[in-house]
């Protein structure tokens, strides 16, 4: 079944010039981009995005990082795109990520790990709605 996911090229990925590299991997995988924009999140917007992690010890740090510079946020559509995108990304901790994954190749540490991808259909629905309204999603 076709599904949608929210992908973010995080501030470290944008700063390192990895927008094209990441998009290339998505397009090669057959993911279709149905919405995309640059955003420089405020601290408050980053806190809202990562609200599920409010109680985690790294919440303060990750929301500082996510509001430290521009990101590219996009909606990808394909069969099973949520899990397929997580496979392309690799594990949260790049040291545990499989060979050839985006995080294994480009992440600097567990926090500055280049990309975000929704982890379930429920999360995807929340995260897509956080950045895009219905008019901003193209119909394929
Ligand atoms: P993801 O779904 O693979 O992005 O991982 P999580 O949802 O568990 O964590 C969200 C984001 O918080 C990660 O992508 C990292 O940027 C950051 N993060 C996760 N774990 C840690 C940690 O132990 N320390 C720090 N500083 N950041 C973390």
């Amino acid at each position: 079944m076709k599904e949608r996911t929210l992908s973010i090229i995080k501030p470290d990925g944008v700063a390192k010039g990895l927008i094209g590299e990441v998009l290339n991997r998505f397009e090669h995988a057959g993911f279709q981009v149905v919405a995309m924009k640059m955003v420089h999140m405020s601290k408050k917007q980053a806190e809202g995005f990562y609200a599920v992690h409010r109680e985690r010890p790294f919440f303060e740090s990750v929301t500082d990082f996510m509001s430290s510079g521009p990101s590219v946020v996009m909606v990808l559509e394909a069969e099973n795109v949520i899990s397929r995108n997580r496979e392309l990304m690799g594990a949260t901790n790049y040291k545990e990520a499989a060979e050839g994954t985006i995080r294994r190749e480009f992440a600097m540490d567990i926090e500055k790990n280049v990309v975000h991808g929704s982890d379930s259909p429920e999360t995807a629905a929340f995260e897509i709605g956080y950045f895009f309204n219905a008019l901003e999603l193209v119909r394929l």
Side-chain angles (χ1 to χ4, degrees):
M1 197 190 65
K2 283 221 176 192
E3 59 183 15
R4 289 175 169 181
T5 194
L6 185 87
S7 167
I8 304 180
I9 305 174
K10 295 183 179 185
D12 62 323
V14 172
K16 285 199 279 189
L18 294 172
I19 297 173
E21 170 72 35
V22 172
L23 283 175
N24 201 26
R25 288 173 181 236
F26 292 162
E27 291 189 324
H28 269 284
F31 301 170
Q32 286 185 290
V33 179
V34 297
M36 178 158 63
K37 63 187 169 191
M38 302 286 302
V39 294
H40 186 152
M41 279 181 246
S42 66
K43 174 82 170 165
K44 284 256 172 307
Q45 287 169 328
E47 286 170 355
F49 179 71
Y50 273 136
V52 291
H53 292 317
R54 217 175 308 113
E55 309 301 331
R56 308 282 281 277
F58 57 83
F59 181 70
E60 192 56 32
S61 177
V62 76
T63 52
D64 276 346
F65 163 54
M66 291 299 281
S67 58
S68 68
S71 299
V72 176
V73 294
M74 71 190 99
V75 179
L76 303 171
E77 182 174 306
E79 299 279 326
N80 300 315
V81 71
I82 295 173
S83 62
R84 289 170 64 202
N85 181 42
R86 301 275 309 178
E87 271 170 39
L88 288 189
M89 288 163 53
T92 308
N93 185 347
Y94 74 104
K95 290 180 183 163
E96 290 160 15
E99 210 61 61
T101 58
I102 295 168
R103 285 168 165 175
R104 178 63 173 260
E105 292 201 11
F106 304 111
M108 284 185 272
D109 60 43
I110 192 167
E111 181 174 274
K112 295 176 182 61
N113 57 8
V114 187
V115 278
H116 166 84
S118 311
D119 63 5
S120 70
E122 295 69 33
T123 319
F126 166 75
E127 293 180 351
I128 291 168
Y130 196 77
F131 289 108
F132 297 99
N133 66 44
L135 288 174
E136 294 173 301
L137 304 169
V138 301
R139 260 172 302 148
L140 297 174

